[in-house]
Each structure stands twice: as C-alpha cells, then as structure tokens.
Amino acid sequence: MTTDLVPDVDFVQLLFTDVAGRLKTLEVPTARWAEVRDSGWTLDGSVLLGYGDPEHSDLRLVPDPSTYVRRPWDTVSGRTVGMVFCDVVDTAGRPFAADPRAVLRKAVEASEARGQRPVFGVEAEFYLLRPGAPGTAGEPADGAGYWDLSVDEEADEVCRDIAEALARMGFTVDGHHHEVCAGQRELVFRHGDALTTADRLLLLKHTARVMARRRGLSAVFMPKPLAHLYGNALHVHVSLAGTEAPSKALFHDGDDTDGMSALFRSSLAGVLDHAPALTALGNPTVNSYKRLVPASGTPVHRSWARHNRSTAFKVVGDNAVPGSLRLEMRSPDPAANPHLLFAGVLAAFADGQDRDLKLSEACEEPADQLDPAALATRGILPLPTDLPSALRALDEDGTVREALGTLTTGAFVRNSTADWAAWHRVVTAWEIERYADSV
Ligand code: GLU
Ligand code: MG
C-alpha cells in the first residue's frame, strides 16, 4: 500500500460511485491531501442512494491510496489532477452497505472463502458521434463497418487518444477495433480482479468521453443511441481461479470435450437460473431494452453455447489453455453498474454450486431462429423484455438481493423504477404518428 503517497498534482479527485454506477467526486487541493487521507471527508447517503435519505447523513469517504492515478490530461490552464477511489464508511468506520465497491468486495470475499478468486474482463462498446439534429444523440463520426481499416482518421485518433490515456493510467489496453455499425467502436483492456476491472470500466467511460469531446465528438455508451443501428453491449468475461498457490484454473477440465469443469457447469447453471434478476443489473435503463431485441446481434433468450455467439452466455477460450476458459455474458450493456453486476454474478455462481444445478444442453443454433415449439421443448425461456419485468425478477430473487443487501437493492430498484415512470409519462412522435388519426 502506498500510504505515504504524496500526489504530484495540483488537485485530487476523490472518486466513488452511486448505485446507478455513475462516478461521483469531491475534488480537493493537494495541500489538503494528508488531512483527507487521515480523516476522510463527510458526505450523506443520498449522494449514493439517489434520493433524499435522512438516515445515512454521517458517512465518510476514505481514500484508498493504492488506486491513485495521475490523470494523464491536464486542464486547459495547465493544472494537474490526480484521481483516487475511496471507500465509503459509516460512523463506526464500517463499509457503508450501499457503496457498490463495498458490495463487490464482500462478494469477492465470499468467493474467496470458497477457495475461488474471480477474474473479470469487459469489452466496452460505444459510439463516436458528431453533433446532430436537436433531440438526437448525434451522427456517426465515420461510415466504416465491422473491423474495417478506415481511412477516416478522426474517429481512429480519438480511440488512440483513449488507449494512450488509459495506458498512462496503468491499464494494459489489449486493443480497439471498429464495431458493426457506423461510428461504433470497441475497446478491450486486460482482465483482472473484480474490483479493479469494475473501477477501470468507469474510468474508461469517463476517459473516452473526455477524449472524444476534445476532438469535437461525443463518446456515447447508452445501450441504444440510434434506433436504426445496433446497440452497445458490455460483454462481461468471468472465470474462477484457485486461491491456493499454485493457482488452478477452476473452470477448466482437460478431460471434458468442451474443456469445462463440473464447477464451471454448476456455476453457469446458477447464472442461467438467476438470469432474469441479473438482467435488471446488466440492463438497468428503459433504453437497455431497446437494444435487447431480435436481429440486432444481441441475445434475447436464456441459453448458453460453446460455439454459437448469439446466446446470452457463451463459453469461450481454448480447451488446451486452462486459464483462457471462461464465461462470456453477452446481454449486459454499458449502462450497468459493474460493481453490482459482478457481485450478482458471483452470488449466482455460488448458488449454482451449492444447489449442484445441472446445466441444460448447449444451444448451438441461434435461439432467435428457433420457433416457440422448439424453444419450449428445450426449455429455453426468454430474457426479460422490459425494465419492470426485470426489476420484478430482481425483487423476487433472494440470492441476488442478499448479495446486494437490502439498502442497495431498494435504492437500485427505486432508481430504475423512477426511470420507467418518467419514460411512461412521455408521449413520443412514434405514438402520435401511429395513433393520432387512427384510434
Ligand atoms: N453490439 C452488439 C450488441 O449490442 C454486439 C456486437 C458484438 O458481437 O460484438 O450486443
Ligand atoms: Mg463487440
């Protein structure tokens, strides 16, 4: 631990996240650093919980110096800024129950108590857009397609800016490429422990927005920003490694034809079982469900496969390389709070293991091309198709609710319900066109 850290910057941003997964900050002049490091900074619970919360008014932000990074971009006036993640603690110094980072840390500790160390990775998709007509998210910044080597350097340069900035913040950027639709990009950084990966995803989103804005574009992570183009996924990769040295790849079994261990099968069966509640965590906005439709390259069913990439859960990796074998969750989107989603996944793994759930048969044909009878025969159910259904599933799922805790689940559901209620009051141009003269 770098507790003797002396930030070499003018200001330090104390970072934490709310239950919706947004980065929040209090910025202090560096002269105040030593005092803040030792005594913390007070805040009230409504900053995290997202509503007037009279009960948790004496919380404290405590910086974790091991997460300190110097921001690789200075301000326009040449000031330098550092960033450090903080733990949120209550008056007794205990982790605050609705700090998403504390929720994830607790879930990781529960996995480790089983001898399982979670490893998480993410693929972040986003659009680079130019300012467009009022009321739109913007216009795609390029006209290129899937993995194209484009001649339009402007959007490519934004991706290079992002990759370089992240590398200077200590990330190993594995690569970035053009996604399927015009203006759409994907960036992947090296997998790691659960908390680091979740923290880094939030830093990536922030960095991408800053870098895009510097070149007059915007980096848009909303799940479905453009109705006629594909949505943005947040593919989540996860595996379990043994906590004992030398660490074993617990998801791997060289004698199995798919390379999968019995532990992997029961863990995956757990995730399939809890998929509806996990959908609430992975797809927490009204807009999320506009992405989760057939024919947009996104999964709509609760199925798994070893080879077919149209399923919600895909087993990826090389049978011959134990550590590479992992689960890829393809339904989450970048609006997810990664800390809460990862905590939910770990709880579902543990439940699948404890109940020794049997894994259904793999679905190697695109599930959205199977007719309802074929789906029924195989016992393949749809994922929730709208936010209220997903929230109901979360409310009914004791395992996931317990992993999040009552305070966090309540605030999360309240937040997403407010999103739905606000949307419900909007009358769209589509409705006017469809109904005004006809009903
Ligand atoms: N953008 C697609 C989605 O929304 C995923 C594309 C891909 O396979 O990488 O799910
Ligand atoms: Mg992709």
Side-chain angles (χ1 to χ4, degrees):
M1 279 270 278
T2 43
T3 42
D4 51 355
L5 169 80
V6 182
D8 53 345
V9 289
D10 300 316
F11 291 88
V12 180
Q13 294 179 325
L14 307 180
L15 302 180
F16 58 105
T17 103
D18 66 5
V19 290
R22 284 175 298 227
L23 276 182
K24 298 275 180 180
T25 195
L26 172 93
E27 185 165 315
V28 296
T30 302
R32 292 268 292 112
W33 167 253
E35 199 183 329
V36 168
R37 181 200 56 206
D38 297 340
S39 319
W41 189 288
T42 52
L43 81 160
D44 74 271
S46 60
V47 186
L48 286 94
L49 297 167
Y51 65 103
D53 169 60
E55 266 174 71
H56 305 94
S57 50
D58 294 319
L59 304 175
R60 229 159 18 95
L61 280 180
V62 181
D64 173 358
S66 72
T67 64
Y68 176 81
V69 285
R70 181 179 162 151
R71 212 177 70 170
W73 62 93
D74 298 339
T75 70
V76 276
S77 39
R79 296 189 175 101
T80 55
V81 181
M83 296 168 129
V84 66
F85 276 98
C86 297
D87 297 324
V88 184
V89 300
D90 65 16
T91 37
R94 288 180 305 239
F96 178 49
D99 173 10
R101 297 180 75 252
V103 170
L104 179 54
R105 198 175 269 136
K106 203 168 135 202
V108 169
E109 279 164 11
S111 295
E112 286 177 348
R114 302 170 162 261
Q116 303 166 0
R117 189 172 45 77
V119 180
F120 277 91
V122 287
E123 300 172 28
E125 293 183 355
F126 54 98
Y127 274 91
L128 289 175
L129 303 176
R130 289 180 206 297
T136 67
E139 292 294 324
D142 64 52
Y146 205 30
W147 290 64
D148 275 353
L149 175 63
S150 130
V151 289
D152 180 344
E153 284 282 318
E154 197 187 5
D156 286 357
E157 281 296 273
V158 173
C159 293
R160 293 184 190 111
D161 291 346
I162 300 167
E164 219 164 65
L166 295 179
R168 288 172 65 194
M169 289 158 95
F171 291 50
T172 299
V173 174
D174 284 323
H176 53 90
H177 66 80
H178 204 284
E179 254 302 332
V180 175
C181 295
Q184 197 179 24
R185 302 286 171 145
E186 174 175 314
L187 188 140
V188 181
F189 64 87
R190 188 68 50 86
H191 53 266
D193 69 77
L195 194 64
T196 305
T197 300
D199 287 352
R200 285 187 164 176
L201 174 64
L202 300 183
L203 287 179
L204 180 158
K205 288 169 69 176
H206 179 63
T207 304
R209 289 191 182 111
V210 171
M211 293 301 144
R213 185 170 289 197
R214 293 195 147 199
R215 291 188 189 265
L217 303 180
S218 51
V220 175
F221 289 85
M222 73 184 272
K224 182 84 170 178
L226 302 157
H228 60 296
L229 298 179
Y230 287 178
N232 288 320
L234 177 76
H235 295 161
V236 174
H237 295 247
V238 52
S239 64
L240 298 173
T243 47
E244 307 237 319
S247 180
K248 275 179 49 190
L250 300 179
F251 273 0
H252 182 258
D253 180 351
D255 295 332
D256 182 84
T257 43
D258 289 321
M260 297 168 70
S261 67
L263 185 91
F264 193 173
R265 287 181 189 276
S266 61
S267 303
L268 173 49
V271 159
L272 278 159
D273 195 49
H274 294 283
L278 295 177
T279 302
L281 300 180
N283 310 94
T285 64
V286 164
N287 185 252
S288 297
Y289 296 84
K290 302 194 173 174
R291 165 179 165 259
L292 289 181
V293 294
S296 70
T298 57
V300 291
H301 288 100
R302 269 160 91 175
S303 54
W304 78 279
R306 181 69 177 97
H307 307 288
N308 160 25
R309 52 199 288 282
S310 73
T311 51
F313 304 101
K314 183 174 184 309
V315 174
V316 292
D318 182 345
N319 288 9
V321 184
S324 72
L325 214 72
R326 60 197 186 273
L327 173 64
E328 177 186 7
M329 298 177 47
R330 296 182 55 85
S331 59
D333 67 57
N337 178 329
H339 297 87
L340 300 185
L341 175 62
F342 293 2
V345 170
L346 295 179
F349 277 179
D351 190 48
Q353 294 164 19
D354 289 346
R355 288 159 61 207
D356 196 19
L357 289 181
K358 294 288 159 266
L359 184 59
S360 54
E361 222 179 284
C363 173
E364 298 296 353
E365 307 97 289
D368 57 3
Q369 284 169 25
L370 294 176
D371 60 39
L375 288 167
T377 317
R378 289 158 170 249
I380 297 178
L381 298 166
L383 290 168
T385 53
D386 55 51
L387 186 55
S389 319
L391 292 173
R392 256 193 314 278
L394 174 58
D395 204 45
E396 287 163 8
D397 189 318
T399 302
V400 177
R401 256 190 2 234
E402 196 187 318
L404 264 53
T406 312
L407 193 61
T408 305
T409 311
F412 183 88
V413 170
R414 230 178 342 262
N415 241 319
S416 286
T417 304
D419 199 41
W420 172 259
W423 157 247
H424 209 53
R425 285 192 289 270
V426 175
V427 177
T428 61
W430 178 87
E431 286 160 283
I432 304 293
E433 194 183 316
R434 195 165 176 95
Y435 306 123
D437 296 325
S438 67
V439 293

